[in-house]
Amino acid sequence: QVQLVQSGAEVRKPGASVKLSCKASGYRFTSYKIHWVRQVRQAPGQRLEWMGWIKTDDGGTRYSQNFLGRVTFSRDTSATTVYMELSSLTFEDTAVYYCARRAHIVGAADACDVWGQGTMVTVS
Amino acid sequence: ELTQPPSVSVSPGQTAIITCSGDKLGDKYVYWYQQRPGQSPILVIYQDTERYSGIPERFSGSSSGNTATLTISGTQAVDEADYYCQAMDSGTVVFGGGTKVTVL
């Protein structure tokens, strides 16, 4: 079945970097962009924050202004895996990081229809 | 920026209405996601009104002016979750702050 499987939880100190992976299976890897979204605890609930996307065919990227200069997406087509590296970590980067596939339905190309299970990153 | 009410409470079998408002939202498509506790989001509605594959008919979407609405008719206990709206803004993805639906 179509799925995205993400790497395990990480703990980093402030100022460090973290690199997460997201392995795709069950579909043609190069046909769909992969987005990265993080979920941050913010009273009274949790908010989703879009980080950007990577085109899995040619490696083209689009980053959110909020992460410019700190985030890098990459991919390995032979391994059907996408990576997200975030540098200069601060306590505010503590969050669950998701990779998500661009929806395959025409008319839903700006949405995500398959999500990874999420990776908890703790900056402490 | 997309604005959602932080919480909505509904009795089983009743209708839950979740709004999402934003500048010029009427000019954009809105998407809705459901996120149950401890799980990843799932796509519920796309293009304002279209139910995604496998989503029950009790979920419906609409849009008027600068407000989009997700309606859950005949709400069930299993619908208790956080709901997020999403739209595009100059090529970037924007999410609403999320609405916690509690089924009392």
Side-chain angles (χ1 to χ4, degrees):
Chain A
Q1 73 278 25
V2 176
Q3 62 178 352
L4 300 174
V5 178
Q6 299 185 231
S7 49
E10 303 274 8
V11 179
R12 293 287 187 273
K13 294 188 181 304
S17 298
V18 69
K19 189 172 184 177
L20 310 182
S21 67
C22 169
K23 181 171 176 58
S25 61
Y27 71 96
R28 185 174 179 175
F29 176 71
T30 53
S31 293
Y32 302 95
K33 286 178 188 174
I34 294 289
H35 295 252
W36 286 91
V37 176
R38 74 179 186 180
Q39 188 160 36
V40 180
R41 287 192 184 278
Q42 186 176 52
Q46 304 179 85
R47 64 181 173 87
L48 293 173
E49 186 175 17
W50 180 75
M51 301 179 71
W53 51 249
I54 180 168
K55 293 180 67 182
T56 48
D57 53 354
D58 63 9
T61 55
R62 175 84 185 250
Y63 299 121
S64 164
Q65 291 275 56
N66 294 338
F67 298 95
L68 272 179
R70 280 212 302 144
V71 70
T72 304
F73 302 150
S74 57
R75 95 274 190 235
D76 179 342
T77 54
S78 63
T80 66
T81 299
V82 170
Y83 303 92
M84 188 280 293
E85 183 168 22
L86 187 63
S87 62
S88 302
L89 293 169
T90 70
F91 298 122
E92 288 68 38
D93 292 315
T94 294
V96 175
Y97 290 77
Y98 292 100
C99 59
R101 190 191 76 168
R102 189 217 83 183
H104 73 286
I105 290 181
V106 173
D110 291 328
C112 297
D113 64 350
V114 180
W115 293 64
Q117 83 276 20
T119 296
M120 181 71 210
V121 174
T122 302
V123 182
S124 176
Chain B
E1 183 177 339
L2 301 178
T3 302
Q4 299 181 234
S7 62
V8 167
S9 296
V10 61
S11 300
Q14 298 305 300
T15 298
I17 296 175
I18 305 161
T19 58
C20 172
S21 61
D23 189 36
K24 299 181 180 178
L25 193 59
D27 297 337
K28 308 165 188 175
Y29 283 131
V30 174
Y31 308 89
W32 290 93
Y33 298 88
Q34 176 195 66
Q35 186 179 30
R36 294 191 176 106
Q39 297 187 15
S40 302
I42 64 169
L43 181 61
V44 176
I45 297 288
Y46 66 97
Q47 263 188 337
D48 296 342
T49 62
E50 302 298 314
R51 259 188 318 277
Y52 189 65
S53 174
I55 300 302
E57 290 185 5
R58 63 181 180 273
F59 288 88
S60 62
S62 63
S63 183
S64 179
N66 290 330
T67 300
T69 302
L70 175 68
T71 301
I72 312 173
S73 304
T75 306
Q76 301 180 8
V78 70
D79 300 328
E80 187 162 284
D82 294 330
Y83 292 84
Y84 296 88
C85 60
Q86 179 229 308
M88 299 297 292
D89 184 12
S90 302
T92 65
V93 173
V94 179
F95 289 100
T99 298
K100 182 176 184 59
V101 171
T102 301
V103 182
L104 299 171

